[in-house]
Structures are given as C-alpha cells and as structure tokens.
Amino acid sequence: MSFKLNEKVTWVGKIDWELKKFHGEEYSTHKGSSYNSYLIKDEKTVLIDTVWSPFSKEFVANLKKEVDLKKIDYIIANHSEPDHSGGLLDLMEEIPDTPIYCTKNGAKILKGHYHKDWNFVTVKTGDTLDIGENKLIFIEAKMLHWPDSMFTYMTGDNILFSNDAFGQHYASEYMYNDTVDQFELYQEAIKYYANILTPFSKFVVKKVDEILGFNLPVDMICPSHGIIWRDKPLQIVEKYVEWAKDYSENQITLVYDTMWGGTSKMAEAIVEGIKSVNTNVTIKQLNSSKLDKNDIITEVFKSKIVLVGSSTINKGILSSTASILEMIKGLEFKGKKAAGFGSYGWSGESVKIITEELTKAGFEMINDGIKELWNPDDEAMDRCKEFGKMIAEKI
Ligand code: FEO
C-alpha cells in the first residue's frame, strides 16, 4: 500500500492493524499503529525513515513498486529506534552506499543496533540538503524522545516530518486528521504524550519555541506513527505546549488494588465523600490489577489529585500498585497532589510506602493518607467519606 500526499511526497509505510503492545510489553496499542515512511521525488529522490523490522521485507518489496531503489539519492533517519530503522538492514543490502542523513547520536545508535558501517552523513540544526525545487532543513530534537531524534522540514510544500513527536498509535485507513474520529485521535495523541513524552516536557516547550521562531510555514505535519496533520496542523503543536506545561483537568483519579475488597470499599467511600461536596469534578476509580496500565497513566496525566491505594501484603504493597507507582515515578509528573489509602490486617505498611513513593515521584502529598483495619465497618467507611470530602477541598 502507498498513497500520494501531493505531487512530490508519497507515504510508503506500514499500517499495523494487529499491534497490541509496543516497546516490548510496555505500551498498549488498542487501536494498532502505523510506521510512516515517506518517499520524496524532487530532482533528487529521498526516503524518510523506514518501518519496524517484522515488516522490513514487505516494505522493501512495496518500495520497489514506487521507485527503482538505485534511484534513491538520500535516506533520512530522523530516529534510530527500531520501529523506524528496522527496514534499513534489507534496504541497505540493495543500496549499500546510499548516504544516511541523521544526527551524530543517530549514527552511533544505528551502529549500536545494526553493527553496520553505513555511509552516515551527520547533520545539525539548520543544516540543509538541496533536493531540486525544494530543500530539506534538519532540526535536531534531542530527547523528543531519544537523544538522536530529529525533525526534517521540506520547503516549498512546507511539510514538517516530525517523527515520533505529534504521533499516535492509531491505525486508520483514513490517513488525515480531518478524516478520522476526533475523539479517538486525541485520545491516542494524549495517551502517547502522557506515557512517552511527559518526562521530556521541558524539551517540548523549548523545541516548539525554537521551531516557531524560525517562522517557517507549516502546511502539513507528517509524524512517524498514526495520522497526518493537514487540517490546521499547528493544533497538535498547541496541544503539546498545553500538555507540556504541567497539564491537568478538573479530575481526581483513584488507582488501587485490593486483596479481599477492603481497599476497594475504601475507594467507594472516598468517592462518595468527594461527590458529596463536589459534583463537578471528574472522578476515575481504577483498579490497577484489572485495567490497562497505560490507560491508567493517561488518567493520572489528566488529574489534579491522584489517590493511590493498596492492601498491605508481606509488609509491602500489591504488585499492580507497585508497577503503577514505578511508571508514575519514571514519568516525572509535575504540579499534582496525592495521598495514599489502603486496608490491612497485620502490620499495615502499605499507606506509608505509597506516601514515600509518591513523595519521591514529586507529588505534593496532601497528608499521610488513610488506612483501615480488615474489612472497613460503618465507622471506617464514614472516616473514608470524610477523607474524600477533605480531598475534594484540595482541588
Ligand atoms: Fe516510534 Fe521512538 O520510536
């Protein structure tokens, strides 16, 4: 499959409808994904990025239908992660001397992955490549989201090839932002930002300022995953700036796990308490052992307050709660409040551990949390409701 974006640019990537997990098992892709590769035919012929290695042979075979591989003058590797560079091994078997334009870090990482001494041409921000009527301008995008990441801007057609930035794991036969379901599109875009880009938010703000400072017209943003932004393409750039600035909505999220239902009952009572004093706030009540961890992280990203709960087990916390806390810590959320809760039977360490972990993760702790013994009785449930009322006042 291929399709023409315009006279000069053709999409030659792969839509991966069946992908359910990405980054090993770390990222759920409920709506599949795509690996977007772009072929530019100006006076020179240029290939931007490839596809993930399982689709490498299919990619090269399809590419041959579009162009005589020997006519490809330049390959641009905006990013070395295998979902975009995986097609290089098979491609370079056919055209081993073709120059690969990438950042200095890109060359290092590609060598680290593939152990090949390909013809790397390293570029920096502002370097250009004449391809005929148009030229390509390279913009390093370090830590968006890897040290090697780079954007490529094509003059004339005013296209920003942004690689992972502004992308979504979203398979669709409708390739443009104005032709897909807007809720699905933005749900996948915010999930991508929350789970992948949050720790790099300060780089997002800086890079967007830098790009806007170039005053380059942008008619289309072509990311390396998901759909292409052609209708008001800067809308996703504006969203990124909003998301990068300690984003939150009017939302409280409870994330918890429970052994015999005690912590779950506490969650119910806390929610009841919140609702009794604030009917406007969105409340999400999420069991971390039952629900998708990346969807939970997306809800954490949207929240002003996060309440984390777990029963105590073996002087510790339940493994699904520990897993979410580890993800939360790595993502370095900023400007959010939190507290712990949990039931216990013996020693009762869970709430203290949760409080310590959330403090280390950079949350502003509302208090030392609430714990209740065994199965919460009416009095315990009342204390949880009061706790919920107090939380509601902190938003
Ligand atoms: Fe889509 Fe960072 O790879």
Side-chain angles (χ1 to χ4, degrees):
M1 175 191 163
S2 68
F3 74 91
K4 279 176 92 69
L5 273 65
N6 62 25
E7 278 308 301
K8 289 192 171 68
V9 184
T10 303
W11 178 95
V12 289
K14 170 70 188 177
I15 298 180
D16 189 352
W17 294 94
E18 296 179 1
L19 188 76
K20 288 290 160 219
K21 291 282 183 178
F22 188 77
H23 280 159
E25 292 290 311
E26 278 302 298
Y27 189 109
S28 59
T29 49
H30 307 313
K31 302 231 169 274
S33 191
S34 68
Y35 318 106
N36 297 339
S37 170
Y38 301 95
L39 183 69
I40 304 171
K41 287 184 185 167
D42 201 319
E43 285 165 31
K44 299 287 187 184
T45 301
V46 183
L47 181 73
I48 298 189
D49 293 321
T50 66
V51 298
W52 188 25
S53 42
F55 304 105
S56 172
K57 291 204 178 341
E58 176 186 337
F59 166 73
V60 172
N62 283 338
L63 193 58
K64 282 180 181 171
K65 293 177 197 162
E66 295 296 324
V67 66
D68 174 355
L69 297 185
K70 298 206 167 22
K71 293 209 166 122
I72 296 177
D73 296 289
Y74 313 116
I75 295 167
I76 313 294
N78 275 334
H79 181 28
S80 56
E81 205 168 359
D83 49 327
H84 309 296
S85 62
L88 282 176
L89 272 180
D90 286 318
L91 182 63
M92 298 311 282
E93 282 289 309
E94 308 243 8
I95 47 172
D97 300 323
T98 307
I100 300 176
Y101 284 69
C102 59
T103 62
K104 199 169 159 195
N105 280 327
K108 267 192 219 163
I109 299 171
L110 287 169
K111 280 181 199 171
H113 278 146
Y114 304 110
H115 313 294
K116 298 284 185 188
D117 203 14
W118 290 322
N119 179 14
F120 294 108
V121 180
T122 58
V123 292
K124 298 196 284 294
T125 296
D127 288 352
T128 60
L129 180 63
D130 282 312
I131 56 171
E133 278 182 37
N134 298 333
K135 68 181 176 182
L136 301 179
I137 303 173
F138 302 108
I139 304 162
E140 289 165 278
K142 197 171 178 180
M143 303 320 295
L144 288 183
H145 67 124
W146 269 27
D148 66 302
S149 298
M150 173 174 91
F151 300 165
T152 299
Y153 177 82
M154 179 181 174
T155 64
D157 292 341
N158 306 331
I159 299 176
L160 182 68
F161 297 96
S162 60
N163 199 267
D164 283 328
F166 315 123
Q168 338 84 43
H169 287 302
Y170 185 21
S172 173
E173 70 271 40
Y174 305 110
M175 296 298 290
Y176 296 107
N177 69 306
D178 52 313
T179 54
V180 296
D181 182 289
Q182 297 301 291
F183 175 80
E184 284 186 353
L185 169 61
Y186 269 99
Q187 183 57 29
E188 293 307 323
I190 196 170
K191 178 179 175 181
Y192 194 95
Y193 191 99
N195 282 273
I196 294 180
L197 287 162
T198 301
F200 311 116
S201 286
K202 65 173 187 281
F203 298 101
V204 170
V205 175
K206 213 170 140 209
K207 187 51 56 183
V208 167
D209 283 348
E210 184 188 319
I211 292 172
L212 296 179
F214 293 152
N215 282 323
L216 296 167
V218 177
D219 292 338
M220 214 182 280
I221 295 178
C222 293
S224 56
H225 297 290
I227 62 83
I228 291 162
W229 302 89
R230 71 172 178 189
D231 178 44
K232 304 184 191 75
L234 290 178
Q235 64 178 284
I236 187 62
V237 179
E238 285 158 17
K239 272 287 167 201
Y240 263 46
V241 171
E242 200 183 322
W243 293 339
K245 292 183 175 170
D246 303 347
Y247 181 76
S248 65
E249 298 174 13
N250 185 29
Q251 179 168 326
I252 299 174
T253 296
L254 291 83
V255 185
Y256 61 92
D257 195 359
T258 189
M259 283 177 75
W260 291 107
T263 302
S264 176
K265 277 176 76 176
M266 289 179 73
E268 297 280 352
I270 292 168
V271 168
E272 206 180 319
I274 297 169
K275 279 185 184 163
S276 71
V277 293
N278 187 339
T279 50
N280 293 322
V281 67
T282 300
I283 307 169
K284 296 283 170 84
Q285 198 180 320
L286 309 173
N287 185 324
S288 53
S289 71
K290 308 283 184 200
L291 302 171
D292 181 274
K293 60 188 181 184
N294 304 106
D295 293 341
I296 291 175
I297 289 294
T298 309
E299 297 306 326
V300 169
F301 179 70
K302 291 187 208 164
S303 299
K304 283 194 175 16
I305 297 178
V306 181
L307 304 178
V308 178
S310 173
S311 327
T312 295
I313 181 169
N314 298 333
K315 299 179 188 168
I317 58 176
L318 292 168
S319 60
S320 79
T321 315
S323 168
I324 284 289
L325 283 171
E326 183 64 18
M327 290 174 80
I328 285 176
K329 196 160 60 177
L331 289 166
E332 298 178 19
F333 292 109
K334 302 235 169 14
K336 297 188 190 298
K337 295 178 184 172
F341 66 97
S343 67
Y344 68 105
W346 308 344
S347 48
E349 289 91 343
S350 68
V351 176
K352 185 166 177 282
I353 292 168
I354 289 167
T355 304
E356 286 167 0
E357 290 301 307
L358 287 168
T359 304
K360 275 190 242 164
F363 283 72
E364 180 191 330
M365 299 311 293
I366 292 169
N367 62 17
D368 291 337
I370 182 168
K371 63 180 187 178
E372 295 294 348
L373 188 59
W374 299 118
N375 187 20
D377 58 13
D378 288 347
E379 283 180 17
M381 292 292 272
D382 284 342
R383 283 192 292 274
C384 290
K385 282 179 210 161
E386 288 305 312
F387 181 81
K389 286 182 192 169
M390 179 276 297
I391 292 293
E393 279 155 16
K394 301 289 181 188
I395 200 160

